[in-house]
Amino acid sequence: MFHDWKKSWAPPSRRQFLACLGEGFGTLVLSHLLLQDELRAQGPSDGGRPDLNGGLHHRARAKRVIQLFMNGGVSQSDTFDYKPQLIRYSGQKFDPGPGLKVESVTGSPGFIVMKSPFTWKQYGRCGRWVSEVLPQIATCVDDLAFLMAMTTKTNVHGPAVYQQNSGFTLPGFPCLGAWLSYGLGRLNENMPAFVVLPDSRGLPYNGQGSFSSGFLPAAHQGTLVRATAPVPINDLFAPRSAAYITKASEEEGLALLGDLNREHLAHWQGDSRLEARITAYELAARMQLSIPGVFDISKESEATRKLYGLDEKDTEDFGRSCLIARRLLEQGVRFVQVWSGTNGASGNWDNHSNITNELGFIAKRTDMGVAGLFKDLKARGLLEDTLVIWTTEFGRMPFSQGSSGRDHNGGTFVTWLGGAGIKGGVAHGQSDEWAWKAVENSTASYDLHATILHLLGIDHKKLTYRHNGIDRRLTDVHGHVVREILA
């Protein structure tokens, strides 16, 4: 018998419609979050093995990492790569041969060799040459290992910053910090695994894309902390204008949310993924208790404040970021990234116009904070299992741009490492006599990342994530551990 559905069907009431709609959206959101957990479960996320000192594949030398990223392209020939040849032939025509790619030579009579305008000295027992713009870092060279012939695929800021952070020149790939969060998890359940401290004046090239989780679950993206701002973490606490939100009302709201979650969990008996997701959401509530103490530096000694440069106007901002970074490490944050420089060709390391003024300005802002952080970590015993990295996206040319600036150069630049598992006072790789291109033992982001992962007890070829049918990894299909700099 034919059923006349038009006569038997009655439209739902407004209340029924809204209830079904809400449940539908809730199911979609929950399904998405559970799928993320299921995908994450395909890879290592157990926080490392105790028998391997927290490592996943072999014994770890480092438990935490702090990366100092100099945004804009640090001139290697004006900081760490001393080249007498530039002094000898300064002002003469530079003939690099075919294939040279530069951003612009407008206003310049061709490629003219330009010597460093700064004086240089040898420091430490290792005799490392350092220019006068970084006198504080220079005092640490016996504890540092220098990669003197870093290279990159591009000399354009955005892609190069992506390359140095994620191993790819395109957006959409997870950065180093996100991979570490995914692979090793949190050291402290009350703190995020990955924290980013940008320059107080603004975000770097690519904005927040530079510390993105890419195709990894969103939980692994860097937590943005503005160390010098009145509100360091957005939305962690209710705004002061919301007087109706009290401690009691927040507790009641969390209690209600807990009841609803437990009621929902009753329908998913035996499914630990949902319970794990509920636990993850509670991190923000726990951070309300743990984070305020990190930013309260009132109990730091005057000697410590001076060590970081907090008593000087030019060095205070970056020094505070470095001090907060140390305090975050002490609270169990696994990976902290501190940025110097913003998006744009001024006020950072992108020294196109005047290398003397521009590099001198940004180097002075950071030198004391970097050195203070390294010395403080060492004095507190934290350097024994903390890896410190200082890097940038590319270097700069040996000839002048305009009258006294330098253009981008992906052919060679400098990165240094110190701390856990690193052999101090050594250098690996070499650029040519002009500091123009790498000629011996060149390294790239893949090698740097492979070495960092190795020190954390991870085989870079085994840390993978299935995405669009491909087992992706931080080092793509490249990379080798730079064992020459390992202790």
Side-chain angles (χ1 to χ4, degrees), residues 76-77 81-83 86 396-398 409 411-412 431-438:
Q76 72 284 359
S77 58
D81 200 0
Y82 177 59
K83 296 298 181 183
L86 296 185
R396 308 201 82 81
M397 289 294 185
N409 180 14
T412 184
S431 64
D432 65 2
E433 58 188 354
W434 308 98
W436 172 46
K437 58 183 179 181

Side-chain angles (χ1 to χ4, degrees), residues 338-352:
V338 183
W339 289 80
S340 166
T342 61
N343 184 352
S346 62
N348 61 14
W349 299 86
D350 192 19
N351 309 144
H352 286 284

